[in-house]
């Protein structure tokens, strides 16, 4: 039987394979899920710097998309396994000199292998003048703000000072933020959006949102479900250069005929919205690259944005580049949200490809700077493949990494310091105590969650998230 | 949540090789952590082995599992009831494509066309085929008796040296 052929970790009497996972989002959970199914004698400790697990499922998915968050039920089941342990409120590899963290070197002493799945917590910048003035923010920060990510509660945005917002980027996050900005407050009120965000959005004067991309409709990064939802927003008109969009789609018929998903999405785009005039509107603008944020002489806040107009060059819609034409256009606006992608941060002790912004790997096994596989070091999720895709992409990615780990176990490939007995988190207890680190267990998390449900019930919401770590920990006193 | 537990076995979904070798049940006992209201997955009052219909699951590693089904059972209901490894991240709400399955053309043709919403999700599925559907949207009826659903293999896993991991 296969399981008896896994040498070192084969029988219940021999030592379990000990894996540390850094990051408790979908990548960490799905890799654990698969590994627990495929290997009997394994123990997995999942670390997260926050007391609460689930990563972007909690902090990234829009409040009005609760079905996407159903995946947390799968994660709860994974956490029920005796071989799985969650340690929240434990930061691994912090580059700051915080004493309340443990290093990758320290983890290596207590585990056979480490999986890095801590995602992409930075955002990309436009690199244009005045990008730092008030009123220019990353969509990531806006999402973190309304989703209650600790330390984002005090994000200030001029929502009540302007009727026009510009979102740079045409992915699903861009549509999320446009939709949240244009949703009736009563719709948002019933979701798990944070109260402080609801309060600020109820005073928002924003009525028009422009979603702007460098290239054309065929290169848009959003997907059908989200576009369809956007087109169906009640009482929100859709504006665009519809004739031009149609001509672009018509010109690509043969290309589209072989690509069902894109063809269907172009169909949704062409069909547009049934709402032609309304108080609120959203628009798609193409062939525009921001070159400057326009501001007053004091640089006190954003007043507009300048684009260079592009043309498209390339043999096919897949290989199309935006080329500047030297013509410019200005748009007045009071809010600019940058939604052009995320970046991962390097961690001490983990190889990192700065150019690509991710950890070099071969099907999830980490590679060093010479392209050699590093024993016992794995990666999954956005840190592995880059910050794109939906839940199923991360699930597939995580399963691939898990299969690589299983294969390495089966083939007795070298792990971390093979001849040393590994004791996992038990071996780190003294370190936690001496540094005042109080790990949060999954049962602890469920108590925090129960308090969030209770607070939400009082407000008629599914939950009211704690936006401060102190408040989360206070539940556990 | 407690009713669901009555009708499913205590073991979490496991791969085929371990299925026939389950002796260490102590690892596999579920404990309830959830304090939140759980979403109902399956049908009340239906047990394993119930039903006039037969559905055949073909797993990514080729293993075939034949089960009984009742009218209205979705592939998700069956996966829950029989502990079959069919992922369902969004629990049947058309917000993901993790339950993507592939049908034989004859059976695919017997079904109603997918809705726009289902097609939107199928568009994101890996290994999409002409006869792909979301498992949560396939509901059993007379026409579909004897249905075979194939779970696509989600991972490539070709190692650098060209060797492939053996699925068990």
């Amino acid at each position: 039987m296969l399981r008896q052929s896994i040498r070192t970790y084969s029988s219940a009497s021999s030592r379990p394979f000990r894996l540390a996972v850094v990051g408790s989002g979908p990548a960490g959970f799905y890799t654990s899920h698969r590994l627990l199914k495929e290997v009997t004698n394994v123990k997995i400790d999942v670390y997260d710097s926050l007391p609460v697990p689930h990563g972007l499922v909690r902090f990234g998915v829009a409040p009005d998309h609760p079905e996407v968050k159903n995946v947390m039920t799968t994660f709860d089941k994974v956490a029920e396994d005796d071989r799985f342990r969650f340690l929240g409120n434990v930061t691994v590899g912090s580059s700051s000199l915080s004493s309340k963290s443990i290093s990758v070197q320290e983890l290596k002493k207590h585990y056979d292998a480490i999986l890095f799945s801590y995602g992409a917590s930075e955002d990309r910048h436009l690199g244009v003048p005045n990008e730092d003035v008030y009123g220019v923010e990353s969509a990531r920060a806006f999402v973190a703000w309304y989703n209650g990510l600790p330390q984002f509660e005090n994000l200030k945005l001029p929502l009540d000072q302007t009727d026009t917002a510009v979102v740079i980027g045409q992915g699903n996050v861009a549509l999320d933020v446009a939709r949240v900005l244009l949703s009736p407050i009563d719709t948002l009120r019933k979701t798990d959006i944070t109260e402080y965000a609801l309060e600020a959005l109820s005073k928002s004067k924003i009525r028009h949102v422009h979603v702007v991309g460098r290239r054309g409709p065929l290169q848009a990064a959003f997907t059908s479900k989200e576009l369809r939802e956007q087109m169906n927003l009640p009482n929100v008109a859709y504006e665009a250069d519809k004739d031009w969009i149609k001509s672009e789609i018509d010109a690509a018929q043969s290309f589209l005929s072989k690509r069902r998903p894109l063809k269907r999405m172009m169909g949704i785009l062409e069909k547009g919205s049934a709402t032609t005039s309304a108080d609120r509107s959203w628009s798609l603008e193409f062939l525009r690259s921001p070159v400057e944020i326009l501001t007053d002489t004091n640089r006190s806040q954003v007043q507009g944005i300048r684009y260079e107009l592009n043309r498209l060059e390339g043999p096919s819609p897949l290989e199309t580049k935006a080329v500047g034409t030297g013509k410019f256009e200005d748009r007045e606006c009071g809010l600019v949200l940058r939604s052009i992608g995320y970046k991962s941060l390097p961690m001490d002790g983990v190889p990192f490809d700065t150019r690509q912004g991710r950890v070099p790997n071969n099907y999830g096994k980490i590679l060093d700077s010479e392209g050699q596989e590093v024993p016992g070091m794995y990666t999954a999720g956005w840190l592995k493949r880059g910050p794109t895709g939906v839940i199923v992409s991360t699930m597939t990615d995580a399963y691939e990494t898990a299969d690589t780990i299983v294969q390495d176990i089966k083939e007795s490939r070298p792990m971390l310091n093979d001849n040393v007995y590994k004791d996992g988190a038990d071996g780190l207890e003294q370190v936690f105590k001496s540094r005042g680190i109080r790990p949060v267990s999954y049962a602890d998390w469920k108590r925090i969650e129960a308090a969030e449900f209770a607070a939400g019930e009082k407000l008629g919401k599914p939950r009211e998230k704690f936006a401060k770590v102190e408040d989360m920990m206070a539940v556990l006193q | 949540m407690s009713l669901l537990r009555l009708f499913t076995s205590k073991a979490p979904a496991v791969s085929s090789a371990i299925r026939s070798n389950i002796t260490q049940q102590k690892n596999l006992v579920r404990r309830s952590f959830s304090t939140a209201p759980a979403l109902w997955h399956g049908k009340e009052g239906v047990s394993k082995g119930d039903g006039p219909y037969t559905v055949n699951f073909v797993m990514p590693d080729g293993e075939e599992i034949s089960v009984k089904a009742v009218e209205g059972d979705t592939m998700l209901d069956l996966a829950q009831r029989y502990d079959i490894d069919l992922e369902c991240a969004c629990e049947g709400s058309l917000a993901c494509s993790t339950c993507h399955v592939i049908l034989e053309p004859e059976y695919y043709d017997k079904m109603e066309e997918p809705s726009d919403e289902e097609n939107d999700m199928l568009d994101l599925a890996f290994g999409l085929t002409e006869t792909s559907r979301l498992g949560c949207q396939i509901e059993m009826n007379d026409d579909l008796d004897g249905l075979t659903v194939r779970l696509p293999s989600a991972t490539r896993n070709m190692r650098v040296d060209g060797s492939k991991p053996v699925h068990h």
Side-chain angles (χ1 to χ4, degrees):
Chain A
M1 287 309 297
L2 179 69
R3 221 133 274 96
Q4 286 157 14
S5 79
I6 297 174
R7 285 196 302 152
T8 324
Y9 317 103
S10 59
S11 65
S13 61
S14 67
R15 57 185 247 205
F17 180 77
R18 287 210 185 253
L19 177 72
V21 176
V22 181
S24 71
F29 262 97
Y30 272 125
T31 310
S32 300
H33 183 40
R34 178 82 141 197
L35 205 52
L36 288 169
K37 275 191 225 175
E38 303 290 311
V39 182
T40 323
N41 203 11
V42 62
K43 283 200 187 295
I44 303 177
D45 292 337
V46 176
Y47 292 87
D48 200 295
S49 56
L50 288 171
V52 299
H54 306 151
L56 284 179
V57 175
R58 175 178 168 102
F59 295 116
V61 176
D64 56 350
H65 286 168
E67 335 73 50
V68 180
K69 303 191 205 193
N70 288 349
V71 70
M72 292 196 291
T73 311
T74 303
F75 298 163
D76 280 353
K77 288 193 198 128
V78 174
E80 284 173 15
D81 195 307
D82 275 343
R83 300 167 290 164
F84 179 98
R85 182 176 171 186
F86 174 65
L87 292 107
N89 200 37
V90 181
T91 300
V92 175
S94 167
S95 52
S96 76
L97 293 168
S98 154
S99 57
K100 285 196 174 226
S101 66
I102 55 177
S103 68
V104 171
Q105 278 304 110
E106 283 172 315
L107 267 189
K108 281 181 178 176
K109 288 189 218 150
H110 301 278
Y111 290 96
D112 295 301
I114 308 177
L115 170 74
F116 295 91
S117 53
Y118 61 80
S121 55
E122 295 289 291
D123 56 90
R124 295 175 62 211
H125 284 239
L126 293 165
V128 302
N130 302 323
E131 196 168 353
D132 57 333
V133 303
Y134 175 57
V136 180
E137 252 323 328
S138 69
R140 184 187 67 85
F142 181 57
V143 172
W145 173 75
Y146 64 62
N147 271 342
L149 181 63
Q151 306 199 320
F152 281 83
E153 187 175 352
N154 295 321
L155 186 72
K156 292 273 171 281
L157 297 160
L159 298 172
D160 56 349
Q161 292 168 41
T162 179
D163 69 353
T164 302
V166 165
V167 181
I168 305 297
Q170 293 178 330
N172 286 334
V173 177
L175 292 188
D176 270 355
V177 301
R179 190 179 71 251
V180 169
L181 284 169
L182 292 170
S183 286
I185 268 297
D186 287 335
T187 307
L188 293 175
R189 205 182 290 285
K190 300 177 213 149
T191 70
D192 67 1
I193 194 170
T194 49
E195 273 302 287
Y196 59 76
L198 203 54
E199 166 85 24
L201 287 165
S202 69
K203 298 183 186 135
S204 164
K205 293 202 166 63
I206 293 182
R207 298 290 176 269
H208 308 287
V209 180
H210 305 283
V211 179
V212 180
R214 290 178 296 132
R215 297 185 293 174
L218 287 140
Q219 290 78 38
F222 43 66
T223 52
S224 290
K225 175 176 189 278
E226 288 72 13
L227 181 63
R228 193 188 297 281
E229 184 178 9
Q230 200 72 10
M231 292 297 187
N232 291 340
L233 288 175
N235 305 317
V236 178
Y238 162 62
E239 285 158 13
D241 186 344
K242 297 172 189 173
D243 291 336
W244 178 77
I245 290 173
K246 182 171 180 359
S247 70
E248 286 292 295
I249 294 173
D250 287 345
Q253 276 314 311
S254 135
F255 176 82
L256 289 172
S257 66
K258 304 184 198 87
R259 289 165 180 83
R260 177 194 124 133
L262 190 55
K263 178 173 177 169
R264 289 187 69 251
M265 192 165 85
M266 290 302 104
I268 298 168
L269 190 58
E270 216 177 315
K271 189 171 166 210
S273 165
T275 313
T276 44
S277 77
D279 284 340
R280 298 176 187 219
S281 75
W282 78 287
S283 79
L284 277 171
E285 293 176 3
F286 298 99
L287 301 178
R288 277 151 177 78
S289 290
V291 292
E292 189 178 344
I293 299 295
L294 305 172
T295 176
D296 53 332
T297 39
N298 298 334
R299 292 179 82 251
S300 64
Q301 69 184 76
V302 61
Q303 291 184 332
I305 186 166
R306 174 165 296 157
Y307 307 116
E308 179 172 13
L309 303 182
N310 296 324
R311 61 184 165 77
L312 296 177
E313 242 179 41
S316 89
L318 278 181
E319 301 152 83
T320 297
K321 282 196 176 117
V323 177
T325 60
K327 294 206 182 74
F328 299 86
E329 176 187 279
D330 290 354
R331 152 87 65 197
E332 265 185 54
C333 62
L335 176 67
V336 174
L337 293 174
R338 192 177 51 227
S339 184
I340 55 174
Y342 305 85
K343 278 190 309 198
S344 294
L345 285 175
M347 184 179 280
D348 258 342
V350 185
F352 192 78
D353 179 339
T354 328
R355 194 182 58 82
Q356 293 214 308
R358 39 186 148 130
V359 171
N361 70 92
N362 189 35
Y363 298 107
K365 183 134 192 209
I366 295 180
L367 303 173
D368 64 20
S369 50
E370 267 119 55
Q372 296 302 307
E373 292 188 351
V374 183
M377 302 270 277
Y378 301 90
T379 181
W382 281 6
L383 185 61
K384 167 189 173 194
R385 73 178 191 282
T388 59
V390 291
I391 290 263
V392 70
S393 333
T394 291
M395 183 187 87
T396 305
D397 169 316
Y399 284 177
E400 177 182 87
T401 297
D403 285 354
T404 299
I405 298 174
V406 171
Q407 188 67 7
D408 285 354
I409 292 174
K410 267 177 53 193
E411 294 176 358
S412 299
R413 300 235 180 164
M415 295 290 173
L416 297 168
N417 313 323
D418 275 304
N419 299 322
V420 176
Y421 178 81
K422 300 297 168 55
D423 50 6
D426 296 337
L428 286 160
E429 261 183 50
Q430 281 314 310
V431 172
F432 292 152
K433 282 206 178 79
S434 66
R435 290 182 201 167
I437 298 173
R438 192 271 199 224
V440 171
S441 70
Y442 212 75
D444 287 337
W445 146 242
K446 284 298 181 178
R447 288 170 58 200
I448 295 172
E449 188 179 52
E452 292 188 336
F453 288 147
E457 209 177 314
K458 294 203 184 98
L459 299 160
K461 297 157 81 166
R463 73 172 81 208
E464 179 58 29
K465 292 178 194 168
F466 293 116
K468 295 190 175 76
V469 169
E470 312 93 83
D471 295 340
M472 295 171 189
M473 299 307 286
V475 173
L476 306 176
Q477 300 315 353
Chain B
M1 196 62 168
S2 58
L3 266 178
L4 174 65
R5 295 240 151 78
L6 275 180
F7 293 111
T8 62
S9 81
K10 287 237 187 290
V14 292
S15 71
S16 58
I18 205 177
R19 194 191 305 278
S20 55
N21 198 28
I22 291 174
T23 46
Q24 287 119 336
Q25 291 289 341
K26 62 179 160 63
N27 263 0
L28 309 177
V29 173
R30 278 185 185 171
R31 276 188 316 232
S32 177
F33 267 100
S34 177
T35 54
L39 293 150
W40 179 254
H41 298 295
K43 295 193 158 19
E44 266 190 63
V46 185
S47 308
K48 275 178 166 171
D50 279 359
Y53 306 131
T54 302
V55 175
N56 310 301
F57 285 86
V58 179
M59 307 307 291
D61 61 358
E63 187 200 359
E64 292 183 24
I65 306 170
S66 285
V67 302
K68 303 300 285 177
V70 301
E71 174 106 21
D73 268 340
T74 66
M75 299 306 102
L76 271 201
D77 291 332
L78 298 176
Q80 281 285 323
R81 196 177 307 144
Y82 296 99
D83 279 328
I84 292 168
D85 275 353
L86 180 64
E87 286 300 336
C88 61
C90 77
E91 302 184 330
S93 47
L94 288 175
C96 78
S97 57
T98 56
C99 69
H100 168 217
V101 293
I102 299 165
L103 276 50
E104 294 152 314
E106 318 83 72
Y107 280 97
Y108 180 82
D109 290 339
K110 289 185 194 181
M111 292 184 64
E112 294 282 319
E113 286 285 311
S115 64
D116 280 342
E117 289 70 25
E118 183 181 346
N119 272 326
D120 286 349
M121 289 299 105
L122 279 170
D123 280 351
L124 301 177
F126 284 84
L128 182 68
T129 70
E130 296 284 330
T131 57
S132 286
R133 292 298 301 255
L134 294 183
C136 62
Q137 301 302 302
I138 302 172
E139 290 187 15
M140 283 310 291
N141 55 41
D142 282 342
D143 283 344
L144 297 179
D145 190 13
L147 172 73
T148 296
V149 293
R150 186 161 61 83
L151 273 60
S153 172
T155 65
R156 298 185 298 275
N157 261 28
M158 183 86 74
R159 306 308 298 283
V160 182
D161 60 359
S163 66
K164 277 182 123 170
V166 174
H167 285 287
H168 38 267

